[in-house]
mmCIF file of all heavy atoms in Angstrom:
data_model
loop_
_atom_site.group_PDB
_atom_site.id
_atom_site.type_symbol
_atom_site.label_atom_id
_atom_site.label_comp_id
_atom_site.label_asym_id
_atom_site.label_seq_id
_atom_site.Cartn_x
_atom_site.Cartn_y
_atom_site.Cartn_z
ATOM 1 N N GLY A 425 5.002 -8.381 8.919
ATOM 2 C CA GLY A 425 5.683 -7.264 8.281
ATOM 3 C C GLY A 425 6.422 -7.577 6.995
ATOM 4 O O GLY A 425 7.082 -6.698 6.442
ATOM 5 N N VAL A 426 6.306 -8.790 6.486
ATOM 6 C CA VAL A 426 6.940 -9.119 5.206
ATOM 7 C C VAL A 426 6.134 -8.463 4.081
ATOM 8 O O VAL A 426 4.907 -8.553 4.060
ATOM 9 C CB VAL A 426 7.015 -10.637 5.001
ATOM 10 C CG1 VAL A 426 7.586 -10.958 3.630
ATOM 11 C CG2 VAL A 426 7.850 -11.276 6.104
ATOM 12 N N THR A 427 6.842 -7.832 3.152
ATOM 13 C CA THR A 427 6.160 -7.053 2.118
ATOM 14 C C THR A 427 6.438 -7.591 0.723
ATOM 15 O O THR A 427 7.475 -8.219 0.469
ATOM 16 C CB THR A 427 6.601 -5.581 2.163
ATOM 17 O OG1 THR A 427 8.021 -5.512 1.973
ATOM 18 C CG2 THR A 427 6.254 -4.952 3.503
ATOM 19 N N ASN A 428 5.513 -7.317 -0.193
ATOM 20 C CA ASN A 428 5.775 -7.511 -1.610
ATOM 21 C C ASN A 428 4.978 -6.491 -2.404
ATOM 22 O O ASN A 428 3.956 -5.975 -1.919
ATOM 23 C CB ASN A 428 5.497 -8.936 -2.068
ATOM 24 C CG ASN A 428 4.087 -9.381 -1.858
ATOM 25 O OD1 ASN A 428 3.683 -9.680 -0.763
ATOM 26 N ND2 ASN A 428 3.320 -9.415 -2.935
ATOM 27 N N TYR A 429 5.456 -6.179 -3.609
ATOM 28 C CA TYR A 429 4.950 -5.063 -4.401
ATOM 29 C C TYR A 429 4.752 -5.455 -5.859
ATOM 30 O O TYR A 429 5.467 -6.291 -6.406
ATOM 31 C CB TYR A 429 5.950 -3.902 -4.370
ATOM 32 C CG TYR A 429 6.190 -3.341 -3.000
ATOM 33 C CD1 TYR A 429 7.198 -3.841 -2.185
ATOM 34 C CD2 TYR A 429 5.398 -2.302 -2.520
ATOM 35 C CE1 TYR A 429 7.407 -3.322 -0.915
ATOM 36 C CE2 TYR A 429 5.611 -1.772 -1.252
ATOM 37 C CZ TYR A 429 6.615 -2.292 -0.460
ATOM 38 O OH TYR A 429 6.818 -1.777 0.792
ATOM 39 N N GLU A 430 3.792 -4.784 -6.476
ATOM 40 C CA GLU A 430 3.652 -4.847 -7.915
ATOM 41 C C GLU A 430 4.811 -4.070 -8.529
ATOM 42 O O GLU A 430 5.262 -3.057 -7.986
ATOM 43 C CB GLU A 430 2.302 -4.265 -8.299
ATOM 44 C CG GLU A 430 1.844 -4.569 -9.706
ATOM 45 C CD GLU A 430 2.360 -3.602 -10.733
ATOM 46 O OE1 GLU A 430 2.619 -2.446 -10.377
ATOM 47 O OE2 GLU A 430 2.518 -4.021 -11.908
ATOM 48 N N ASP A 431 5.295 -4.518 -9.675
ATOM 49 C CA ASP A 431 6.524 -3.952 -10.231
ATOM 50 C C ASP A 431 6.443 -2.449 -10.492
ATOM 51 O O ASP A 431 7.445 -1.733 -10.324
ATOM 52 C CB ASP A 431 6.888 -4.672 -11.522
ATOM 53 C CG ASP A 431 7.469 -6.057 -11.285
ATOM 54 O OD1 ASP A 431 7.832 -6.360 -10.131
ATOM 55 O OD2 ASP A 431 7.548 -6.831 -12.253
ATOM 56 N N SER A 432 5.288 -1.963 -10.897
ATOM 57 C CA SER A 432 5.201 -0.556 -11.299
ATOM 58 C C SER A 432 5.359 0.411 -10.131
ATOM 59 O O SER A 432 5.613 1.602 -10.348
ATOM 60 C CB SER A 432 3.879 -0.282 -12.019
ATOM 61 O OG SER A 432 2.796 -0.374 -11.117
ATOM 62 N N VAL A 433 5.215 -0.068 -8.904
ATOM 63 C CA VAL A 433 5.348 0.823 -7.749
ATOM 64 C C VAL A 433 6.548 0.479 -6.878
ATOM 65 O O VAL A 433 6.852 1.204 -5.926
ATOM 66 C CB VAL A 433 4.063 0.840 -6.891
ATOM 67 C CG1 VAL A 433 2.873 1.240 -7.742
ATOM 68 C CG2 VAL A 433 3.830 -0.500 -6.205
ATOM 69 N N LYS A 434 7.232 -0.590 -7.217
ATOM 70 C CA LYS A 434 8.386 -1.014 -6.431
ATOM 71 C C LYS A 434 9.440 0.098 -6.436
ATOM 72 O O LYS A 434 9.777 0.648 -7.485
ATOM 73 C CB LYS A 434 8.957 -2.302 -7.025
ATOM 74 C CG LYS A 434 9.798 -3.116 -6.073
ATOM 75 C CD LYS A 434 10.203 -4.430 -6.721
ATOM 76 C CE LYS A 434 9.034 -5.336 -6.972
ATOM 77 N NZ LYS A 434 9.436 -6.647 -7.506
ATOM 78 N N GLY A 435 9.935 0.444 -5.266
ATOM 79 C CA GLY A 435 10.922 1.515 -5.147
ATOM 80 C C GLY A 435 10.318 2.894 -4.949
ATOM 81 O O GLY A 435 11.024 3.826 -4.551
ATOM 82 N N ARG A 436 9.036 3.053 -5.227
ATOM 83 C CA ARG A 436 8.368 4.351 -5.013
ATOM 84 C C ARG A 436 7.377 4.290 -3.869
ATOM 85 O O ARG A 436 7.183 5.277 -3.156
ATOM 86 C CB ARG A 436 7.623 4.791 -6.274
ATOM 87 C CG ARG A 436 8.507 5.042 -7.466
ATOM 88 C CD ARG A 436 7.738 5.761 -8.579
ATOM 89 N NE ARG A 436 6.581 5.000 -9.043
ATOM 90 C CZ ARG A 436 5.331 5.482 -9.091
ATOM 91 N NH1 ARG A 436 5.085 6.717 -8.696
ATOM 92 N NH2 ARG A 436 4.351 4.728 -9.551
ATOM 93 N N PHE A 437 6.693 3.157 -3.709
ATOM 94 C CA PHE A 437 5.669 2.998 -2.676
ATOM 95 C C PHE A 437 6.195 2.060 -1.592
ATOM 96 O O PHE A 437 6.908 1.092 -1.887
ATOM 97 C CB PHE A 437 4.397 2.398 -3.253
ATOM 98 C CG PHE A 437 3.620 3.301 -4.183
ATOM 99 C CD1 PHE A 437 4.124 4.507 -4.626
ATOM 100 C CD2 PHE A 437 2.359 2.919 -4.633
ATOM 101 C CE1 PHE A 437 3.399 5.336 -5.485
ATOM 102 C CE2 PHE A 437 1.629 3.724 -5.492
ATOM 103 C CZ PHE A 437 2.151 4.927 -5.920
ATOM 104 N N THR A 438 5.809 2.333 -0.353
ATOM 105 C CA THR A 438 6.181 1.488 0.777
ATOM 106 C C THR A 438 4.946 1.198 1.610
ATOM 107 O O THR A 438 4.282 2.131 2.076
ATOM 108 C CB THR A 438 7.245 2.171 1.648
ATOM 109 O OG1 THR A 438 8.395 2.483 0.858
ATOM 110 C CG2 THR A 438 7.655 1.253 2.789
ATOM 111 N N ILE A 439 4.665 -0.083 1.788
ATOM 112 C CA ILE A 439 3.560 -0.487 2.647
ATOM 113 C C ILE A 439 4.127 -0.818 4.026
ATOM 114 O O ILE A 439 5.218 -1.380 4.159
ATOM 115 C CB ILE A 439 2.804 -1.692 2.051
ATOM 116 C CG1 ILE A 439 1.521 -1.983 2.830
ATOM 117 C CG2 ILE A 439 3.693 -2.927 1.954
ATOM 118 C CD1 ILE A 439 0.613 -3.015 2.155
ATOM 119 N N SER A 440 3.377 -0.458 5.054
ATOM 120 C CA SER A 440 3.786 -0.777 6.422
ATOM 121 C C SER A 440 2.530 -0.926 7.268
ATOM 122 O O SER A 440 1.429 -0.584 6.833
ATOM 123 C CB SER A 440 4.702 0.302 6.992
ATOM 124 O OG SER A 440 4.040 1.552 7.058
ATOM 125 N N ARG A 441 2.717 -1.420 8.473
ATOM 126 C CA ARG A 441 1.574 -1.601 9.362
ATOM 127 C C ARG A 441 1.993 -1.325 10.797
ATOM 128 O O ARG A 441 3.147 -1.518 11.178
ATOM 129 C CB ARG A 441 0.991 -3.001 9.235
ATOM 130 C CG ARG A 441 1.904 -4.115 9.653
ATOM 131 C CD ARG A 441 1.336 -5.473 9.232
ATOM 132 N NE ARG A 441 0.080 -5.773 9.914
ATOM 133 C CZ ARG A 441 -0.839 -6.631 9.447
ATOM 134 N NH1 ARG A 441 -0.624 -7.265 8.291
ATOM 135 N NH2 ARG A 441 -1.936 -6.862 10.139
ATOM 136 N N ASP A 442 1.001 -0.889 11.578
ATOM 137 C CA ASP A 442 1.170 -0.698 13.011
ATOM 138 C C ASP A 442 0.141 -1.591 13.687
ATOM 139 O O ASP A 442 -1.052 -1.250 13.727
ATOM 140 C CB ASP A 442 0.959 0.777 13.371
ATOM 141 C CG ASP A 442 1.210 1.066 14.837
ATOM 142 O OD1 ASP A 442 1.118 0.139 15.658
ATOM 143 O OD2 ASP A 442 1.483 2.226 15.149
ATOM 144 N N ASN A 443 0.579 -2.725 14.166
ATOM 145 C CA ASN A 443 -0.364 -3.689 14.743
ATOM 146 C C ASN A 443 -0.973 -3.182 16.050
ATOM 147 O O ASN A 443 -2.066 -3.610 16.421
ATOM 148 C CB ASN A 443 0.318 -5.031 14.954
ATOM 149 C CG ASN A 443 0.539 -5.788 13.656
ATOM 150 O OD1 ASN A 443 -0.080 -5.476 12.630
ATOM 151 N ND2 ASN A 443 1.445 -6.752 13.668
ATOM 152 N N ALA A 444 -0.282 -2.292 16.739
ATOM 153 C CA ALA A 444 -0.847 -1.730 17.969
ATOM 154 C C ALA A 444 -2.008 -0.787 17.666
ATOM 155 O O ALA A 444 -2.907 -0.616 18.495
ATOM 156 C CB ALA A 444 0.232 -1.002 18.750
ATOM 157 N N GLU A 445 -1.977 -0.166 16.484
ATOM 158 C CA GLU A 445 -3.015 0.799 16.086
ATOM 159 C C GLU A 445 -4.001 0.227 15.076
ATOM 160 O O GLU A 445 -4.898 0.943 14.633
ATOM 161 C CB GLU A 445 -2.354 2.051 15.498
ATOM 162 C CG GLU A 445 -1.496 2.813 16.485
ATOM 163 C CD GLU A 445 -2.313 3.434 17.612
ATOM 164 O OE1 GLU A 445 -3.500 3.786 17.369
ATOM 165 O OE2 GLU A 445 -1.778 3.553 18.726
ATOM 166 N N ASN A 446 -3.825 -1.049 14.698
ATOM 167 C CA ASN A 446 -4.703 -1.675 13.693
ATOM 168 C C ASN A 446 -4.785 -0.831 12.419
ATOM 169 O O ASN A 446 -5.880 -0.602 11.872
ATOM 170 C CB ASN A 446 -6.107 -1.894 14.257
ATOM 171 C CG ASN A 446 -6.180 -3.062 15.209
ATOM 172 O OD1 ASN A 446 -5.151 -3.601 15.612
ATOM 173 N ND2 ASN A 446 -7.372 -3.462 15.594
ATOM 174 N N THR A 447 -3.629 -0.378 11.977
ATOM 175 C CA THR A 447 -3.580 0.521 10.823
ATOM 176 C C THR A 447 -2.505 0.056 9.849
ATOM 177 O O THR A 447 -1.415 -0.353 10.262
ATOM 178 C CB THR A 447 -3.294 1.961 11.283
ATOM 179 O OG1 THR A 447 -4.329 2.376 12.187
ATOM 180 C CG2 THR A 447 -3.259 2.913 10.094
ATOM 181 N N VAL A 448 -2.824 0.151 8.574
ATOM 182 C CA VAL A 448 -1.860 -0.113 7.519
ATOM 183 C C VAL A 448 -1.665 1.171 6.722
ATOM 184 O O VAL A 448 -2.617 1.954 6.559
ATOM 185 C CB VAL A 448 -2.308 -1.288 6.626
ATOM 186 C CG1 VAL A 448 -3.630 -1.008 5.947
ATOM 187 C CG2 VAL A 448 -1.236 -1.650 5.603
ATOM 188 N N TYR A 449 -0.441 1.379 6.272
ATOM 189 C CA TYR A 449 -0.083 2.613 5.575
ATOM 190 C C TYR A 449 0.439 2.313 4.183
ATOM 191 O O TYR A 449 0.946 1.225 3.911
ATOM 192 C CB TYR A 449 1.014 3.347 6.357
ATOM 193 C CG TYR A 449 0.632 3.690 7.765
ATOM 194 C CD1 TYR A 449 1.035 2.897 8.834
ATOM 195 C CD2 TYR A 449 -0.141 4.815 8.040
ATOM 196 C CE1 TYR A 449 0.692 3.214 10.139
ATOM 197 C CE2 TYR A 449 -0.490 5.139 9.340
ATOM 198 C CZ TYR A 449 -0.083 4.328 10.382
ATOM 199 O OH TYR A 449 -0.441 4.651 11.667
ATOM 200 N N LEU A 450 0.346 3.318 3.325
ATOM 201 C CA LEU A 450 1.004 3.264 2.025
ATOM 202 C C LEU A 450 1.683 4.611 1.810
ATOM 203 O O LEU A 450 1.000 5.611 1.593
ATOM 204 C CB LEU A 450 0.018 2.970 0.903
ATOM 205 C CG LEU A 450 0.664 2.740 -0.459
ATOM 206 C CD1 LEU A 450 1.464 1.428 -0.475
ATOM 207 C CD2 LEU A 450 -0.392 2.721 -1.571
ATOM 208 N N GLN A 451 2.989 4.615 1.912
ATOM 209 C CA GLN A 451 3.771 5.804 1.625
ATOM 210 C C GLN A 451 4.064 5.835 0.136
ATOM 211 O O GLN A 451 4.639 4.873 -0.397
ATOM 212 C CB GLN A 451 5.078 5.792 2.420
ATOM 213 C CG GLN A 451 6.002 6.949 2.121
ATOM 214 C CD GLN A 451 5.445 8.286 2.578
ATOM 215 O OE1 GLN A 451 4.902 8.401 3.671
ATOM 216 N NE2 GLN A 451 5.579 9.312 1.734
ATOM 217 N N MET A 452 3.675 6.911 -0.520
ATOM 218 C CA MET A 452 3.823 7.022 -1.968
ATOM 219 C C MET A 452 4.719 8.212 -2.276
ATOM 220 O O MET A 452 4.388 9.349 -1.909
ATOM 221 C CB MET A 452 2.457 7.203 -2.622
ATOM 222 C CG MET A 452 1.458 6.114 -2.242
ATOM 223 S SD MET A 452 -0.080 6.220 -3.176
ATOM 224 C CE MET A 452 -0.710 7.794 -2.600
ATOM 225 N N ASN A 453 5.828 7.947 -2.937
ATOM 226 C CA ASN A 453 6.784 8.985 -3.318
ATOM 227 C C ASN A 453 6.910 9.060 -4.835
ATOM 228 O O ASN A 453 6.499 8.143 -5.554
ATOM 229 C CB ASN A 453 8.155 8.686 -2.706
ATOM 230 C CG ASN A 453 8.131 8.644 -1.199
ATOM 231 O OD1 ASN A 453 7.366 9.365 -0.550
ATOM 232 N ND2 ASN A 453 8.968 7.805 -0.609
ATOM 233 N N SER A 454 7.487 10.150 -5.305
ATOM 234 C CA SER A 454 7.722 10.338 -6.743
ATOM 235 C C SER A 454 6.449 10.066 -7.542
ATOM 236 O O SER A 454 6.467 9.354 -8.553
ATOM 237 C CB SER A 454 8.852 9.421 -7.229
ATOM 238 O OG SER A 454 10.040 9.650 -6.506
ATOM 239 N N LEU A 455 5.371 10.663 -7.106
ATOM 240 C CA LEU A 455 4.084 10.399 -7.734
ATOM 241 C C LEU A 455 4.024 10.943 -9.153
ATOM 242 O O LEU A 455 4.613 11.986 -9.472
ATOM 243 C CB LEU A 455 2.961 10.979 -6.881
ATOM 244 C CG LEU A 455 2.641 10.144 -5.626
ATOM 245 C CD1 LEU A 455 1.859 10.969 -4.617
ATOM 246 C CD2 LEU A 455 1.888 8.887 -6.009
ATOM 247 N N LYS A 456 3.292 10.212 -9.987
ATOM 248 C CA LYS A 456 3.155 10.543 -11.406
ATOM 249 C C LYS A 456 1.674 10.722 -11.715
ATOM 250 O O LYS A 456 0.822 10.174 -11.018
ATOM 251 C CB LYS A 456 3.702 9.401 -12.256
ATOM 252 C CG LYS A 456 5.089 8.939 -11.899
ATOM 253 C CD LYS A 456 5.444 7.678 -12.669
ATOM 254 C CE LYS A 456 6.801 7.140 -12.264
ATOM 255 N NZ LYS A 456 7.131 5.885 -12.984
ATOM 256 N N PRO A 457 1.366 11.437 -12.794
ATOM 257 C CA PRO A 457 -0.052 11.549 -13.167
ATOM 258 C C PRO A 457 -0.728 10.187 -13.339
ATOM 259 O O PRO A 457 -1.922 10.040 -13.040
ATOM 260 C CB PRO A 457 0.011 12.335 -14.475
ATOM 261 C CG PRO A 457 1.233 13.185 -14.326
ATOM 262 C CD PRO A 457 2.225 12.316 -13.601
ATOM 263 N N GLY A 458 0.011 9.204 -13.782
ATOM 264 C CA GLY A 458 -0.542 7.857 -13.945
ATOM 265 C C GLY A 458 -0.897 7.163 -12.644
ATOM 266 O O GLY A 458 -1.528 6.107 -12.668
ATOM 267 N N ASP A 459 -0.495 7.737 -11.516
ATOM 268 C CA ASP A 459 -0.875 7.189 -10.217
ATOM 269 C C ASP A 459 -2.249 7.680 -9.763
ATOM 270 O O ASP A 459 -2.744 7.247 -8.718
ATOM 271 C CB ASP A 459 0.165 7.564 -9.160
ATOM 272 C CG ASP A 459 1.520 6.939 -9.414
ATOM 273 O OD1 ASP A 459 1.567 5.743 -9.762
ATOM 274 O OD2 ASP A 459 2.534 7.657 -9.275
ATOM 275 N N THR A 460 -2.853 8.581 -10.524
ATOM 276 C CA THR A 460 -4.180 9.071 -10.188
ATOM 277 C C THR A 460 -5.188 7.928 -10.190
ATOM 278 O O THR A 460 -5.318 7.204 -11.185
ATOM 279 C CB THR A 460 -4.615 10.158 -11.182
ATOM 280 O OG1 THR A 460 -3.733 11.282 -11.047
ATOM 281 C CG2 THR A 460 -6.047 10.586 -10.937
ATOM 282 N N ALA A 461 -5.871 7.752 -9.071
ATOM 283 C CA ALA A 461 -6.787 6.622 -8.916
ATOM 284 C C ALA A 461 -7.468 6.715 -7.554
ATOM 285 O O ALA A 461 -7.075 7.529 -6.708
ATOM 286 C CB ALA A 461 -6.032 5.296 -9.002
ATOM 287 N N VAL A 462 -8.454 5.863 -7.371
ATOM 288 C CA VAL A 462 -8.990 5.629 -6.028
ATOM 289 C C VAL A 462 -8.194 4.468 -5.431
ATOM 290 O O VAL A 462 -8.037 3.423 -6.081
ATOM 291 C CB VAL A 462 -10.486 5.306 -6.056
ATOM 292 C CG1 VAL A 462 -10.991 5.027 -4.643
ATOM 293 C CG2 VAL A 462 -11.267 6.460 -6.677
ATOM 294 N N TYR A 463 -7.700 4.668 -4.214
ATOM 295 C CA TYR A 463 -6.865 3.682 -3.548
ATOM 296 C C TYR A 463 -7.676 2.989 -2.445
ATOM 297 O O TYR A 463 -8.358 3.655 -1.653
ATOM 298 C CB TYR A 463 -5.630 4.358 -2.959
ATOM 299 C CG TYR A 463 -4.610 4.703 -4.019
ATOM 300 C CD1 TYR A 463 -4.862 5.717 -4.942
ATOM 301 C CD2 TYR A 463 -3.413 4.013 -4.122
ATOM 302 C CE1 TYR A 463 -3.943 6.025 -5.937
ATOM 303 C CE2 TYR A 463 -2.485 4.315 -5.105
ATOM 304 C CZ TYR A 463 -2.755 5.317 -6.013
ATOM 305 O OH TYR A 463 -1.845 5.616 -6.991
ATOM 306 N N TYR A 464 -7.572 1.663 -2.428
ATOM 307 C CA TYR A 464 -8.347 0.843 -1.503
ATOM 308 C C TYR A 464 -7.417 -0.043 -0.672
ATOM 309 O O TYR A 464 -6.444 -0.596 -1.209
ATOM 310 C CB TYR A 464 -9.283 -0.091 -2.265
ATOM 311 C CG TYR A 464 -10.299 0.577 -3.138
ATOM 312 C CD1 TYR A 464 -10.016 0.881 -4.462
ATOM 313 C CD2 TYR A 464 -11.561 0.900 -2.643
ATOM 314 C CE1 TYR A 464 -10.953 1.483 -5.278
ATOM 315 C CE2 TYR A 464 -12.513 1.503 -3.456
ATOM 316 C CZ TYR A 464 -12.207 1.784 -4.767
ATOM 317 O OH TYR A 464 -13.140 2.384 -5.566
ATOM 318 N N CYS A 465 -7.757 -0.221 0.586
ATOM 319 C CA CYS A 465 -7.111 -1.285 1.342
ATOM 320 C C CYS A 465 -8.064 -2.475 1.413
ATOM 321 O O CYS A 465 -9.276 -2.335 1.212
ATOM 322 C CB CYS A 465 -6.665 -0.832 2.722
ATOM 323 S SG CYS A 465 -7.975 -0.467 3.872
ATOM 324 N N SER A 466 -7.481 -3.632 1.677
ATOM 325 C CA SER A 466 -8.256 -4.867 1.604
ATOM 326 C C SER A 466 -7.659 -5.917 2.522
ATOM 327 O O SER A 466 -6.451 -5.925 2.776
ATOM 328 C CB SER A 466 -8.246 -5.387 0.164
ATOM 329 O OG SER A 466 -8.968 -6.593 0.041
ATOM 330 N N VAL A 467 -8.534 -6.801 2.997
ATOM 331 C CA VAL A 467 -8.103 -7.955 3.777
ATOM 332 C C VAL A 467 -8.915 -9.166 3.328
ATOM 333 O O VAL A 467 -10.109 -9.042 3.020
ATOM 334 C CB VAL A 467 -8.261 -7.700 5.287
ATOM 335 C CG1 VAL A 467 -9.710 -7.493 5.684
ATOM 336 C CG2 VAL A 467 -7.637 -8.824 6.105
ATOM 337 N N ILE A 468 -8.239 -10.308 3.263
ATOM 338 C CA ILE A 468 -8.911 -11.560 2.919
ATOM 339 C C ILE A 468 -9.025 -12.387 4.195
ATOM 340 O O ILE A 468 -8.017 -12.806 4.768
ATOM 341 C CB ILE A 468 -8.141 -12.333 1.836
ATOM 342 C CG1 ILE A 468 -8.023 -11.484 0.569
ATOM 343 C CG2 ILE A 468 -8.848 -13.654 1.542
ATOM 344 C CD1 ILE A 468 -7.119 -12.086 -0.491
ATOM 345 N N ILE A 469 -10.272 -12.595 4.601
ATOM 346 C CA ILE A 469 -10.530 -13.425 5.780
ATOM 347 C C ILE A 469 -11.347 -14.628 5.269
ATOM 348 O O ILE A 469 -10.792 -15.521 4.649
ATOM 349 C CB ILE A 469 -11.249 -12.630 6.874
ATOM 350 C CG1 ILE A 469 -10.447 -11.349 7.198
ATOM 351 C CG2 ILE A 469 -11.423 -13.482 8.144
ATOM 352 C CD1 ILE A 469 -11.114 -10.408 8.178
ATOM 353 N N ASP A 470 -12.651 -14.621 5.470
ATOM 354 C CA ASP A 470 -13.490 -15.620 4.794
ATOM 355 C C ASP A 470 -13.841 -15.140 3.390
ATOM 356 O O ASP A 470 -14.031 -15.918 2.462
ATOM 357 C CB ASP A 470 -14.756 -15.883 5.610
ATOM 358 C CG ASP A 470 -15.491 -14.605 5.976
ATOM 359 O OD1 ASP A 470 -14.870 -13.532 6.000
ATOM 360 O OD2 ASP A 470 -16.707 -14.684 6.242
ATOM 361 N N LEU A 471 -13.912 -13.848 3.260
ATOM 362 C CA LEU A 471 -14.138 -13.147 1.995
ATOM 363 C C LEU A 471 -13.050 -12.091 1.844
ATOM 364 O O LEU A 471 -12.280 -11.854 2.780
ATOM 365 C CB LEU A 471 -15.499 -12.442 2.020
ATOM 366 C CG LEU A 471 -16.738 -13.302 2.278
ATOM 367 C CD1 LEU A 471 -17.958 -12.400 2.473
ATOM 368 C CD2 LEU A 471 -16.962 -14.268 1.138
#
């Protein structure tokens, strides 16, 4: 549950996870037009 953020979203976005549900979340507040994008989750295992 330790988190870190890119500076441009720090204070507006919150990442969290529910290990019982195998789910990760991204809460996004104070959204701006510049936040328009396709959002992806990712995990590094062997790849």
Side-chain angles (χ1 to χ4, degrees):
V426 176
T427 59
N428 60 284
Y429 298 90
E430 195 274 332
D431 285 346
S432 69
V433 303
K434 201 175 294 184
R436 297 192 301 126
F437 290 9
T438 303
I439 189 171
S440 62
R441 64 191 296 157
D442 184 337
N443 286 343
E445 296 294 330
N446 284 11
T447 301
V448 61
Y449 302 98
L450 187 68
Q451 176 67 43
M452 306 187 295
N453 299 327
S454 303
L455 284 162
K456 309 172 184 178
D459 295 317
T460 296
V462 178
Y463 284 70
Y464 299 90
C465 68
S466 179
V467 63
I468 300 172
I469 306 175
D470 52 337
L471 303 172

